Amino acid sequence: MYEAIIVGARVAGAAVALLLARKGHRVLLLDKYTEPGPVLSSHIIGEIDIYERLGISGRMDDSGIPPMTRMRVDLEGRILESDILVTPRSLCIRRELLDRWLLDEAVSHPLVTFRPRTKVIGPVMDKAGAVTGVNVENDAGRREVVHGRVVIGADGRQSTLASALKPLTRFLSDEHHPGVYYGYLSGVAPLPIPAVEWYWSGRDIILCSPMDEGRHCIALMTHDAIFRSGEGSLSERFMKRLGSIRTLVPRLKEAALSAQVRGAAQLPSYVRQAYGPGWALVGDAGAHLHPISGIGIDNAVCTAEMLAEELHLYFQGEKTWLEAMTDYESRRDERIVPQYHACLKTLARTEKSVAQEQLDSMDMLCTFPGLVRELATRGKDVYNILTEERSS
């Protein structure tokens, strides 16, 4: 019997498998894919220490991905830019790379057994209702039951385990949630200093970040139903929308999509119950924030570490199952629930138009350097006013 069966071998699942194996626990890691491929994602990571502990920082450094140290916010052509305060650097990483790095680290450990091309049909339960394993089917159609002390759902927003067990959804909202579409572009003229670029354009948000091989990842977050159903291909509509951002257009003269545009029209935010008898959820299977938050990947690996630590204490007999999982959920929620509420507030702002008179005031600030200097001297007061309004 395995101590842990992990359903899903992307960032959260691979991280849990690796961390549990390092603590001496036998793990079965399952996924229906053959190789990690593209997936809808924020693509942005900002944490540093967790990736060092997972052993992939060297691959990040050698990847050629420019570290972004600046935040650039463009409001209808008015630009504010500064050093990023919350982390020394951010990276924009294709999930085909990141997921492969983490999976390689996990499967290199002798206590991790990886079975690709394996579809999980559903959980197996005992008479008391506790999960004791999973029903699986390989790509040849052969089914079997695999048993483990704990089954972990790390299989994303459409989690098979969560769908079967129906955990309590503690927070849920799709209000003001735009669709998200992203593409990888070559030929985008880079900024002198790599930055996370955020464009407010009407009700839409465009994010632009440099990535590997000289390309940029550009994400479009839009409420526009016409965009989703308009004429032409999705890629054509995507490029046309980017062409309406006048401060971005000059850098797109040589730009071309290097892969098809991907995305989804509906992406609700939620926080689910994190555990039950014999099972636990991690990553997007347990909690998902709209990509506007930009912290989904970091949340997945950081909560994976929390889960691995608490499971280790349970396996060692230092905590009961209830104690370990209560502590895991508490630690997870301490990190994610405030982010959930902040995410909803940012999404609500997409519905608020900025009057031309207010934009004219921004133009005045940007035109006269003396006013910018004066704004800086009163920056703390302005910040306090804005954050008090945000929390009210």
Side-chain angles (χ1 to χ4, degrees), residues 2 9 28-33 107 112-119 136-138 142-146:
Y2 297 95
L28 175 63
L29 185 59
L30 305 171
D31 207 293
K32 60 186 178 183
Y33 66 48
V107 301
V112 175
T113 300
F114 176 49
R115 290 175 57 175
R117 302 182 299 279
T118 302
K119 181 180 179 181
V136 300
E137 180 181 271
N138 65 19
R142 179 176 175 271
R143 293 192 176 190
E144 64 176 304
V145 174
V146 186

Side-chain angles (χ1 to χ4, degrees), residues 8 15 78 104 121 205 225 231 237 271 279 283 308 311 316 331 376:
R78 292 87 178 162
D104 286 346
I121 306 301
I205 295 168
E231 296 181 357
R237 282 175 272 143
V271 180
W279 59 270
L311 284 174
Q316 295 293 100
R331 293 171 64 187

